Amino acid sequence: MTTNENTSASVPASVPASGPAPAVTARRLGATGPSVFPLGLGCMGMSALYGEADRAESLATLHAFLEAAPEGMNTLLDTGDFYGMGHNELLINEALRTAPAEARERALTSVKFGALRTVEGGFTGYDGRPEAVKNFLAYSLQRLGRDHIDIYRIARVDPDVPIEETVGAIAEAVQAGHVRHIGLSEVGADTLRRAAAVAPISDLQIEYSLISRGIEDRILPTARELGIGVTAYGVLSRGLISGHFSRDRALAPGDFRGMSPRFQGENLDRNLDLVEALREVAGEKGVSVAQTAIAWVLAQGPRRGVDLVPLVGARRRDRLTEALGALRVELTEADLAAIEAAVPAGAASGERYPAAQMAHLDSEH
């Protein structure tokens, strides 16, 4: 796997926009992590939680993303071993095997583990015991068809296992060469400090968007202080602030959004009103709502002094193309102020997860 750290090149021609293409600068995931293309691809929706996905289109989207980055720049694929009970890792395996060699060699994998599932698809908790870490890792390496995982992290803190033990087990895997970097997911500032005292942490994966800004008070400053990067998921809040979601949209059976508080009743109405306010700002810039929302998250890294890479959850090439277009959106301070006036911090209606899942979030405690 390449460790090429080239930092600048032109935006690929496939990114739609008018005018000259600005330079794309790779972003390093913290003081100890790899440098990657400034957008990562979150692959969960290709296997789980958003209804059935088209396998051929998923593979085409993965290939398009792998080839979107300038030559020599690493790309980041984010997955979880429990996405479709291994389906997502096998899908990524196939995409990498069938991708051009140069694109394959600079693809980095970020894997979450620890979620316990039932045959019916339910979640029953998390397992962060050291022996479980080794077990999950062995299966992921087999499904991905790789000899190492670039960033490995527990999906949620196991309340019965000190984070020091879980991180220590991943650190052993780093020493053995099976993992390159240690990540964390949805942990609060105090847990972040405890984990970083055990071993170097490359990045914290956590939800961050215009309507999920709770990390700004303590978690982002702590990450900055500790030299830990951030991979931000949910930058479009599961499509809610993409500009494509409508009040009358019928969701497929099993779609997570069918039980998400932000997509219910009056909450949905109020949240889509925020989207319409954002649409006005986007229209003045001549870009889409989704591009505006992604560009806002992209701007928060340098704005807040944090190494930050947004993850976009595109399942189709047209959505990926739109997301890549955010790299051409340059936001002035006046633009940022207008965006934040349209969607103020704390303006979202409803929690980001149902109550039972919120209880698992160390970041919310």
Side-chain angles (χ1 to χ4, degrees):
M1 184 66 64
T2 181
T3 56
N4 191 308
E5 301 295 352
N6 289 350
T7 58
S8 183
S10 296
V11 174
S14 61
V15 178
S18 59
V24 171
T25 302
R27 295 191 173 190
R28 182 178 291 279
L29 290 177
T32 63
S35 290
V36 297
F37 189 58
L39 290 178
L41 184 63
C43 303
M44 181 186 73
M46 298 177 181
S47 299
L49 297 182
Y50 293 115
E52 203 165 323
D54 183 306
R55 183 179 185 84
E57 182 61 25
S58 294
L59 289 168
T61 302
L62 282 160
H63 286 157
F65 175 73
L66 293 174
E67 297 184 57
E71 185 176 352
M73 191 178 289
N74 294 328
T75 52
L76 185 67
L77 298 175
D78 182 76
T79 185
D81 63 10
F82 50 95
Y83 293 167
M85 284 77 154
H87 177 278
N88 205 237
E89 290 178 319
L90 291 169
L91 185 73
I92 290 172
N93 180 333
E94 182 176 351
L96 292 174
R97 282 190 290 105
T98 54
E102 195 274 337
R104 178 172 63 249
E105 285 304 310
R106 55 192 173 88
L108 308 185
T109 53
S110 167
V111 179
K112 291 178 290 298
F113 69 89
L116 303 177
R117 306 292 303 271
T118 66
V119 173
E120 295 75 22
F123 287 85
T124 60
Y126 297 90
D127 192 343
R129 295 171 301 144
E131 57 267 39
V133 174
K134 296 175 183 178
N135 178 76
F136 288 128
L137 176 59
Y139 280 97
S140 283
L141 290 171
Q142 178 68 25
R143 285 189 291 260
L144 288 166
R146 295 166 84 79
D147 62 6
H148 73 273
I149 289 169
D150 294 284
I151 309 174
Y152 202 50
R153 70 187 89 236
I154 190 165
R156 300 288 186 267
V157 174
D158 181 345
D160 298 323
V161 178
I163 194 64
E164 290 86 351
E165 293 185 17
T166 303
V167 168
I170 306 175
E172 290 180 7
V174 172
Q175 293 174 347
H178 304 312
V179 171
R180 292 282 171 83
H181 304 282
I182 304 171
L184 292 168
S185 177
E186 285 289 355
V187 305
D190 294 340
T191 303
L192 198 58
R193 289 186 186 281
R194 289 168 51 201
V198 175
I201 306 298
S202 71
D203 70 298
L204 167 64
Q205 187 172 122
I206 197 161
E207 185 166 356
Y208 187 41
S209 73
L210 272 167
I211 63 171
S212 295
R213 296 176 59 182
I215 69 172
E216 292 177 348
D217 292 338
R218 292 191 62 217
I219 295 174
L220 277 183
T222 302
R224 180 178 64 239
E225 175 192 339
L226 298 174
I228 295 172
V230 172
T231 42
Y233 76 89
V235 294
L236 296 179
S237 196
R238 299 162 184 84
L240 180 58
I241 60 172
S242 67
H244 301 300
F245 202 91
S246 62
R247 288 175 171 82
D248 58 355
R249 179 170 173 175
L251 296 174
D255 191 315
F256 165 81
R257 292 168 292 192
M259 60 178 183
S260 172
R262 289 184 175 172
F263 288 83
Q264 307 303 311
E266 293 182 358
N267 286 346
L268 178 61
D269 291 337
R270 288 193 289 268
N271 291 330
L272 289 181
D273 286 343
L274 295 174
V275 175
E276 291 310 306
L278 184 60
R279 196 184 304 277
E280 292 187 18
V281 179
E284 292 177 2
K285 292 286 291 182
V287 297
S288 74
V289 174
Q291 288 169 340
T292 304
I294 296 168
W296 180 87
V297 177
L298 279 164
Q300 301 315 302
R303 195 182 187 197
R304 298 176 184 277
V306 177
D307 299 322
L308 190 153
V309 174
L311 301 173
V312 295
R315 302 197 296 171
R316 301 182 343 220
R317 283 168 289 179
D318 59 339
R319 293 288 191 253
L320 174 63
T321 297
E322 181 182 24
L324 291 171
L327 295 172
R328 289 182 180 260
V329 180
E330 297 184 32
L331 299 177
T332 65
E333 284 301 319
D335 293 331
L336 292 165
I339 291 168
E340 290 165 9
V343 187
S349 295
E351 298 284 2
R352 56 195 181 102
Y353 285 102
Q357 294 184 38
M358 288 293 290
H360 284 296
L361 299 178
D362 180 81
S363 55
E364 294 286 338
H365 301 153

